[in-house]
Amino acid sequence: MPLLDRGEEKRTLDQVLDRVRAGASGVLVLRGEPGVGKSALLDYAVERASDLRVAKTVAVESETALSFAAVHQLLLPFLSVADRLPEPQRRALGVAFGLQAGPPADPFLVGLAVLTLLAEIGAFQPVLCVIDDAQWLDDESADVLAFVARRLLADRVGMLFAIRETMEPDPHLQALPGLPLAGLPAQHAHELLETSVGRPIDVRVAARIIAETGGNPLAVVEVARELSSEQLIGRAPLSEPLPVGHKLEELFLRRVRELPRDTQTLLLLAAAEIPSRGDRLWKAAGSLGVTELAAAPAESRGMVVFGPEVRFSHPLVRSAVYHGAAPGQRREAHRALAGACDPQIDEGPRASHLAAATAGPDEGVAVQLEMAADRAKSRGGYSAMAALLERAALLTPLEERRAERRLLAAKTHVAAGALDRAEALLGEAATGLHDPRSTAQATQLEGRIRFHRGRVAEAVFSLLCAARRLRSLDPREARDALLSALEAAVFAGWAPSAPLLQEIARTAQHLPHTGDPPDSAAQLLLQGCITRLTSGYVAAVPTLRRTVQAFLADEIDQDVALQRVELAAVLAADLWDDSAVEQLAADWIDRARGIGALPRLAAALAFRGVYVDGPAGRLAAARVAESEAHELAEATGNPAIVPPTGAHTLLTLALSGREAEARAIASAVAGEAPGRGAVGEMAMAASFLGVLELSLGNYGSAVVCLDAAYTDDTPLVGTRSLPDLVEAAVRSGRRDLAERALHRLEDRATATGTSLALGLLARSRALLATPAQALDEYEDALDRLGRTRAASEVARTLLLYGEWLRRQRRRREARAQLRTAHDMFDGMGMYAFAERARLELSATGEHVPKRETETPEDLTPREAQVAALVSQGAANRDIAAQLFVSPSTVEYHLHKVFRKFGVTSRTQLAHRVINQGSGAVALLPASSAHTSAATDPASAISTQRRGPRHPGAAKAR
């Protein structure tokens, strides 16, 4: 079909190709109805890309159940260089494509492998990937290709998709740049009409055809072919209605039925094949007595091309052939194709064909589908596995076994992130489940789905119910359900969950032996949580310490470590063990990166931003972690991995003094979280807002915010907010509340005994102490906090100490504390606290210019990440693997960093980042040999103490 007009669309495609040639990358999704010209435009792009290395695949409906089928087909020309990939990526790709055995491949590690492979090819010659009929991509391929498309930047790789426009937006490609295609303008549609029939057409006839087809090129051409010469010149009436829309498929079917019977059979086999492979096709055709001569009539009419792979001229032709056949004919075709499959090599296609050939329930075929599902799981194809299990369930004769298979399919859909389908299948399974263990597992899955959706209060209830039912049937699974319930309760809040939490404790206390040693990480985790519930914080500390150490141990089970590290990290933070928190967060991130578990990586990064980088004063690092967490949550289709309101960014915003943004987030949490029962999330957000109010000097408002966390007393939030509440209550004249908060703080800080806890306790005592006692407490606080990673707390202690000294009329000593606090706040980007320190300094008689409005940092978050990793000696390929981008993209960012810093080598960059400071220095590990004074508590305190000291300071120390 000639490509008429489309000038604007052609220019857009040319721009994509030009960007790729220039060393960048380009992505475009062509969207439109069938026949509108998407494939013709892709062909145009391929013709224009003669200097590029082109890989093309056309997805077909019959292959949607084959995991990674489309991406495997696309990459076939490039697999010869797959041995250049890093080992984890090479292994994941091999397992996904069925080329080697191994644990199931994480789809996002496969995505990283595809990205790296395309970038490797692009380094030698620009690459263009063309994916037609993307609406038929298998879910795994769609996830991988969308993941790659979102991460292309400077890789000399272009990706063009064509997808059929439907009422529902495609969940995989909708976020990519798109180009909607409409019908041709009347002039060009008329030209296409006359070109296709080879003669002039009556103007009124042409106008009607164009109007009723909407200028759709395929419909215009096919309708014209159906009209007689008399009709075309206006001497005979046109049919009513014209064959457009669904009528177009009927037109193709009519043409099929005009073919010889053997040709129709051959076309039906080709339409039913998964995928349309010539070897299996001809073997199946031979079993039905059809020879190669049957191909000629269909090929001569341009309907299909037979070869190693069979290609129909248009998807509507395939659809017409298959759906136009009688059910019995379709079953016969699938039976023949199943017979043509090798039972060892083609297990999945054979099982699918047998299923399609079966008119009623058949347990034997259902078992084969279940076996094929296990094979799909071994390749990481969870969507394909779930589809096979669903089909197995439909063919299962016994109601309870059918329900069990639906339950298993629902579990698999959860693993694939398809929560809507999982919930629907769970509902279908519920009525047929009678076995106690199966019904308990269904309830457990219901809880997991609710947790993934953020409906945390409902999740706690469901998971507890499941644990109670599983207690005597499967103690280990019951323990897993209890730990999940406790994790959900952190977000739901302990106060509103109190009755359920007591029942969780009773269930755990009567849990039979799981078979694991008493000192295993999972056992200790449950024991520590239950002790915290039943006997309180102080009694739980010894067990919680052992729990944290078990999770830090090298010999911990990797599955337990990845699944439960979040709860362990929460408990470590509740113990004020900043060293363990940082190590657990690092291990969590490393494990998730190592296996490509991006949803877990997103959660880990969000946690690190809030509870590691923020308190350490590394606000640039916190923003980068939060940005990456959000990006990964969106990329994996799991936006609820991090709080949907963005509550995980609130502490960084509060510490940065970005008041308007922080209040907007807090308002969003207050409006949205109650509907999900997320009282714990609300308390967390309120406590972070309380920090903002403290920085602004709004002490009464701070008390209101922090009292919510104090009242709820959920682990982590309830404990960590105590020093802030003491400060707010003292400054707002609420001494009674301050003393109650201090009493709780004394119990907990003394029990845990960490430098951070005892330092914050000393600071809080100073706020309530007599002048003689306050001096010693402040000095003790600075001494203890100087041994921690909590630079932000050191600076805040210096600020409070300076404010106290000024009120004691000891202005010279106050200036030393306040000056150091101000410099630390300013260096860390804690600008509201810095302004509070500036005003106090002014009150001592020292003038400090007011900071101008903050200008954007020189480096973007991604550039800062790259600069920090380069400064640690990481190679580009290692950086790419860490950041889930290509080495070419790392090189692109690195060139920009070199230009911005005026350096020409990695050594110069490392010197600049480490010794002179930059937006990247805050991303370096706390153990770095050179650390900015702003974020090094010991250095800051040492600097402060070299300044003027107050009389008696030496004695006080």
Side-chain angles (χ1 to χ4, degrees), residues 130-311:
V130 179
I131 301 96
D132 203 355
D133 288 323
Q135 71 275 3
W136 301 129
L137 287 170
D138 60 275
D139 283 342
E140 284 78 13
S141 290
D143 283 334
V144 164
L145 293 173
F147 176 84
V148 171
R150 282 191 293 266
R151 274 166 168 66
L152 290 173
L153 181 60
D155 305 286
R156 302 211 303 170
V157 175
M159 296 186 77
L160 298 177
F161 299 84
I163 188 168
R164 185 180 299 179
E165 195 172 57
T166 61
M167 296 297 291
E168 294 294 327
D170 177 82
H172 306 286
L173 306 181
Q174 60 180 330
L176 300 180
L179 180 64
L181 299 181
L184 293 172
Q187 176 186 349
H188 295 96
H190 195 148
E191 183 181 345
L192 177 61
L193 263 174
E194 294 189 339
T195 302
S196 65
V197 299
R199 69 184 73 179
I201 299 177
D202 180 79
V203 174
R204 289 168 298 177
V205 172
R208 182 174 167 197
I209 293 173
I210 294 167
E212 293 199 24
T213 62
N216 181 300
L218 178 66
V220 165
V221 171
E222 297 301 335
V223 167
R225 287 179 181 174
E226 290 296 299
L227 301 180
S228 67
S229 299
E230 294 294 300
Q231 288 175 312
L232 288 171
I233 61 176
R235 291 181 180 174
L238 300 179
S239 60
E240 292 284 352
L242 291 177
V244 297
H246 70 278
K247 295 287 184 180
L248 193 58
E249 192 167 336
E250 293 177 8
L251 184 154
F252 288 135
L253 179 59
R254 188 165 67 251
R255 291 179 186 169
V256 169
R257 287 175 174 164
E258 292 171 355
L259 297 170
R261 183 164 298 279
D262 278 1
T263 302
Q264 292 185 47
T265 300
L266 184 61
L267 286 176
L268 179 57
L269 288 168
E273 171 60 324
I274 312 172
S276 297
R277 278 176 38 186
D279 55 347
R280 288 206 296 253
L281 174 67
W282 291 114
K283 186 176 179 181
S287 71
L288 297 177
V290 177
T291 68
E292 291 187 17
L293 295 175
E299 285 188 313
S300 66
R301 298 192 184 191
M303 291 181 168
V304 68
V305 176
F306 290 96
E309 292 188 4
V310 183
R311 295 294 181 193

Side-chain angles (χ1 to χ4, degrees), residues 214 256 290 301 350 358 360 369 419 511 562 569 679 683 740 883 888:
V256 169
V290 177
R301 298 192 184 191
R350 182 173 182 271
T358 304
L369 285 168
L419 299 183
L511 191 67
L562 195 56
V679 176
R740 290 200 305 274
L883 302 184
S888 303

Side-chain angles (χ1 to χ4, degrees), residues 436-437 439-441 443-444 460-475 477-483 485 499-512:
R437 180 169 180 173
T439 56
Q441 289 174 332
T443 304
Q444 184 178 14
V460 176
F461 178 78
S462 296
L463 290 163
L464 170 60
C465 290
R468 293 174 63 185
R469 296 175 187 173
L470 287 165
R471 182 171 53 192
S472 60
L473 302 170
D474 189 334
E477 199 163 1
R479 180 187 66 195
D480 185 64
L482 288 171
L483 288 171
L500 294 177
L501 288 170
Q502 293 305 314
E503 187 57 37
I504 287 173
R506 282 191 288 270
T507 303
Q509 288 165 343
H510 294 90
L511 191 67

Side-chain angles (χ1 to χ4, degrees), residues 305-498:
V305 176
F306 290 96
E309 292 188 4
V310 183
R311 295 294 181 193
F312 284 87
S313 61
H314 194 276
L316 288 179
V317 178
R318 175 189 285 271
S319 178
V321 169
Y322 187 80
H323 295 291
Q329 294 173 316
R330 291 200 295 268
R331 288 194 293 272
E332 182 184 40
H334 282 291
R335 198 173 296 115
L337 289 164
C341 291
D342 185 315
Q344 303 301 319
I345 300 174
D346 302 321
E347 182 183 25
R350 182 173 182 271
S352 295
H353 282 309
L354 286 173
T358 304
D362 188 317
E363 179 62 22
V365 175
V367 169
Q368 292 193 50
L369 285 168
E370 203 165 27
M371 293 169 61
D374 285 338
R375 181 173 174 80
K377 180 184 179 181
S378 72
R379 296 171 58 185
Y382 290 105
S383 296
M385 178 186 178
L388 289 165
L389 288 170
E390 284 197 58
R391 296 178 73 178
L394 288 172
L395 295 177
T396 304
L398 298 178
E399 180 189 26
E400 185 157 9
R401 185 73 183 112
R402 182 165 60 249
E404 289 171 353
R405 283 179 171 140
R406 281 181 173 145
L407 175 61
L408 185 56
K411 288 181 181 178
T412 310
H413 276 303
V414 170
L419 299 183
D420 288 341
R421 186 59 193 145
E423 206 161 30
L425 276 174
L426 188 59
E428 293 173 19
T431 57
L433 293 173
H434 305 295
D435 173 68
R437 180 169 180 173
S438 296
T439 56
Q441 289 174 332
T443 304
Q444 184 178 14
L445 183 61
E446 181 182 52
R448 286 177 57 199
I449 292 172
R450 288 174 172 174
F451 191 22
H452 283 303
R453 290 196 184 281
R455 288 151 45 193
V456 287
E458 297 173 10
V460 176
F461 178 78
S462 296
L463 290 163
L464 170 60
C465 290
R468 293 174 63 185
R469 296 175 187 173
L470 287 165
R471 182 171 53 192
S472 60
L473 302 170
D474 189 334
R476 183 174 292 182
E477 199 163 1
R479 180 187 66 195
D480 185 64
L482 288 171
L483 288 171
S484 295
L486 287 164
E487 192 171 340
V490 171
F491 295 93
W494 274 33
S497 304

Side-chain angles (χ1 to χ4, degrees), residues 856-864 892-903 909 912:
E857 291 186 28
D858 287 338
L859 298 184
T860 67
R862 184 67 86 199
E863 289 165 1
Y892 169 81
H893 287 305
L894 191 55
H895 277 304
K896 293 180 70 177
V897 171
F898 278 9
R899 178 178 55 79
K900 290 181 178 182
F901 280 3
V903 298
L909 174 62
R912 170 70 184 270

